[in-house]
Amino acid sequence: MGSVEEMHTWILKMSHLSVLAVVTVFFMIPAGLLSDMRDPQDLDGQQLAQRSTFMHHRLKRGWIWKELFVPEEDPTSHVIGQLKSDSDRGEFSIKYILSGEGAGDLFEIDEYTGEIRTLKKLDREEKAFYVLQAQAINRRTNEPEEPQSEFIIKVQDINDNMPRFQNEPYVSSIPEMSPVGTTVAQVTATDADDPMFGNNAKLLYSILQGEPYFSVEPKTGIIVTSWPDMDREAKVEYLVVVQVKDMLGLSGGYSSSTTVTVSLTDVNDNGPTFQQLTYTFAVPENAAVGTTVGRIMAEDGDIGINARMTYSLKDDLEGSSTFIIKTDPVTQEGVVLLAKPLDYEVKRQYVMAAEAANDHVDTRFLPLEEFRDRTTLRVVVENVNEPPVFLSPLYEWEVPENAAVGTVVGNVSARDTDTDNSPIRYSIDKRTDATKAFKIDPNKGTIAVAKALDRETTEWHNMTVEAKETTQNHLSSTVVVFIKVLDVNDNMPRLARDYQPYICEGTQAGELIQLLSAVDPDDPVEGHHIYFSMVPEEHINPNFTIRDNQDNTAGIVARRSTFTRKDQTKYLLPVVVADSGSPALSSTTTLTIGVCSCQPAGHCPTGGVEALALTMSVSMQTLLGILVCLAALTVLSVLMLMVRRHRRKQQEEMGVEVKELELSGTVSQKVLYYGEKGRGGADLDFCQPVVPLRPHPKRKERRLRREDVRASIRMSLRESHLIGPEDEVFRQFILDRLAEADQDPYVPPFDCLRTYAYEGSGSPSGSLSSLDSSSLELELEQPACNPRPYLMRLTPWYGGGEEDTIF
């Protein structure tokens, strides 16, 4: 440490001596020569200015400069130079002025002597030079003694900055087993000092940590390997510390260091290796196929793709291929799996060889045979008490449907594979044999028919048979039994549906009347063959015959053309349907063929009102008339009921009070005056005398009720917007009532009332009828033929109590 400080002190002394030497040399140089040493650019600019003014005269410089350099980082104020004009005689008649960069702040000039002095310490790394201007002015005349001149003050560098590394941190990787001299990385450092002045910025690199595996080139900072065959499996990562010094590494300089992390990447320089010569596993004999028996592992020092391997089974001594091995892609283990069922009673141990081999090899580092390895596998089968085993995985039998009870269908058989060979008992699972059509011998396993079978009811019987050991463990197993019931011709064929054939009166001989088809529940092997025929008789049927189409269909054909309803309305035709079974079965169906007056399209009504009409020999026109009348009566009844309900509701809401017309005398009568148009252009002429209604003691009460209903209907029709005088029903109703009134001597003429029965609601002048008026007064003082007739209040005719007569 002491030697370093002494060296630093010596360098500082040498620096001061060199500065003094330079000052001395510059002091000895004439002023004219110093002026020529200024910046060439400034000289060129000044020369151009002088040439522009004095083209052929050279101006002599009179400035005297002592110093142009100043050392950096010097805190003391001292004179660094002097500016002096040759016209200065020492009488202080010349005034010196300094301007430019740092003037007055960093530098100042003595206006009498021209000496330039520093005011602060300077940093070359902040600013390397300053450009200033100087003037010499005569104090008496205040005129320039010398032209303004520009000069440069340079800051002289000292070693005050340490080198620094760039782009840190440094991380690099190289393949393992790389040869010596392999480039690892390059480190770069910079120094802020002046590289053109001395050795302040001259750098030198060296290794502080990482030898002997790595080295660095001193000038470039390139790191290379210096140790052969570095093994990643031995060491994965290295930390290399590199130092850089300025001053070319001499004492007194500055230094810094950085760390480079170097990692070795893997190459396939290792093969798989089993750590055990033999692997032993145990597995129970009832283990399912696909069960994992065990795992083996071959170690490989490599990683990634170089460590991938594939396992295989070699030299299976028994050659049974009972086991397989697969590679776990995550753990790179060999997984041994069971490929076939095991049986302790058959084989109790398996021995085989297992091999592991790299998927990717690199013969630059190892020979090919080094990339694989083998071990021995030994698998021991453990005994397990197993349930009985059926000799067949399932059973399927056939039995005819007419098999007698007790007929043996088949036999199931199971055995105990264990060494004790326990006895076995058989049974049918009741949940799978709901019909209980079969039974089983519990000791022999024989299945027989238990009750009559019917294929048409159940074609397949699927049941589960259980075999159970009689030992205390009572282990059991099951098997599925399928029994198909074979068809026997035990069902008669029959017609496919209930045919209702008919024949039109205009049918010609030979025409097809009805196409017949038949069905048979049986299912013969060769398919259905159904035959149609007529019942054998002594005489041939003169009316119809059956034509068999030989395709399980037949047609009824007319044999004559004289069918009429007057002669006979229906015929009976027996049809025989037979199958082709052995023995053949047949059935007879009697069809009723009706004679019909068919419509033009050939349609014959076969039911409902039309059929009833045909049976009763009623014409279609008469039947339609009856139906229309029934419909009209139904509508009229509903309408009357609705009008009565409406009338009652209206009377209750409006509180209509019906007043009777009081006539002079002892008998109260209701009188209606009516007249026809006539004299004098008056709207109303009463040309008839007043005619009182004559009471009829026997019919009065009945007529009151009838007329009450009629008046209610008329009022409803008059007020309705849906039924008007143009409606056919309304018109017919009015005509019927008019005819009835004309024939009844106890009611007034009805034609005048018919005039005002319904006028509609669209007239702007309103209604002319007096039926809606309740304020008209009846006066009986004038005779019937008075030219100015009195109007009669028609309120009694509009509707009243029990004694009202209503039209």
Side-chain angles (χ1 to χ4, degrees), residues 84-155:
K84 187 174 182 180
S85 174
D86 54 0
S87 60
D88 187 357
R89 304 303 179 187
E91 300 173 353
F92 303 106
S93 60
I94 303 298
K95 180 180 180 181
Y96 297 95
I97 300 175
L98 183 67
S99 62
E101 295 178 343
D105 181 23
L106 301 178
F107 308 98
E108 68 175 359
I109 190 170
D110 190 334
E111 63 179 4
Y112 296 101
T113 63
E115 292 180 345
I116 299 176
R117 181 181 298 274
T118 61
L119 300 176
K120 298 179 181 179
K121 67 177 182 179
L122 304 178
D123 187 2
R124 190 204 67 84
E125 286 72 37
E126 181 179 350
K127 189 173 180 63
F129 61 90
Y130 297 86
V131 179
L132 295 96
Q133 295 83 31
Q135 280 185 317
I137 300 175
N138 191 305
R139 291 179 181 273
R140 291 188 296 270
T141 63
N142 203 22
E143 293 293 334
E145 291 290 337
E146 300 287 347
Q148 182 178 353
S149 178
E150 184 177 87
F151 63 97
I152 297 174
I153 298 177
K154 292 184 178 181
V155 182

Side-chain angles (χ1 to χ4, degrees), residues 554-703:
I556 301 176
V557 181
R559 301 192 67 177
R560 62 185 179 88
S561 305
T562 58
F563 294 95
T564 61
R565 293 184 56 80
K566 294 181 180 180
D567 297 338
Q568 189 172 346
T569 59
K570 59 182 178 180
Y571 297 87
L572 300 179
L573 179 64
V575 179
V576 179
V577 182
D579 59 19
S580 59
S582 179
L585 300 178
S586 64
S587 64
T588 302
T589 304
T590 300
L591 300 179
T592 300
I593 304 177
V595 180
C596 177
S597 298
C598 297
Q599 296 179 358
H603 171 66
C604 177
T606 59
V609 180
E610 294 179 344
L612 179 62
L614 292 176
T615 305
M616 297 175 63
S617 300
V618 180
S619 64
M620 182 60 64
Q621 293 78 4
T622 304
L623 181 62
L624 291 176
I626 294 173
L627 293 177
V628 171
C629 292
L630 292 175
L633 291 176
T634 303
V635 172
L636 186 59
S637 301
V638 173
L639 187 61
M640 292 172 64
L641 181 61
M642 293 176 60
V643 169
R644 174 169 294 182
R645 291 181 178 178
H646 180 73
R647 177 71 177 276
R648 290 179 180 177
K649 184 177 180 181
Q650 187 177 20
Q651 289 180 354
E652 292 176 357
E653 293 178 355
M654 300 179 61
V656 178
E657 298 180 357
V658 180
K659 298 182 179 179
E660 297 180 353
L661 179 61
E662 298 292 341
L663 298 177
S664 59
T666 59
V667 180
S668 176
Q669 296 180 345
K670 298 181 175 72
V671 181
L672 171 66
Y673 294 92
Y674 86 104
E676 298 177 355
K677 290 185 178 181
R679 303 186 300 266
D683 294 336
L684 296 174
D685 277 325
F686 292 91
C687 298
Q688 300 293 338
V690 176
V691 181
L693 296 178
R694 291 172 294 177
H696 195 290
K698 296 182 180 180
R699 300 177 58 187
K700 180 178 180 180
E701 183 177 355
R702 179 177 59 83
R703 289 184 54 79

Side-chain angles (χ1 to χ4, degrees), residues 454-517:
D454 186 8
R455 187 204 67 85
E456 287 70 36
T457 302
T458 306
E459 184 177 359
W460 282 91
H461 293 268
N462 305 331
M463 65 189 72
T464 301
V465 176
E466 181 183 39
K468 181 181 293 186
E469 295 179 356
T470 58
T471 60
Q472 61 180 3
N473 292 327
H474 298 292
L475 298 178
S476 64
S477 60
T478 59
V479 71
V480 180
V481 177
F482 302 96
I483 300 178
K484 182 179 181 180
V485 180
L486 301 178
D487 182 60
V488 175
N489 192 25
D490 57 349
N491 290 276
M492 295 181 298
R494 62 180 183 276
L495 293 180
R497 60 185 177 88
D498 185 16
Y499 292 98
Q500 295 180 356
Y502 65 89
I503 183 170
C504 296
E505 290 183 328
T507 301
Q508 301 296 320
E511 289 189 17
L512 177 65
I513 298 174
Q514 179 70 56
L515 183 66
L516 304 177
S517 61

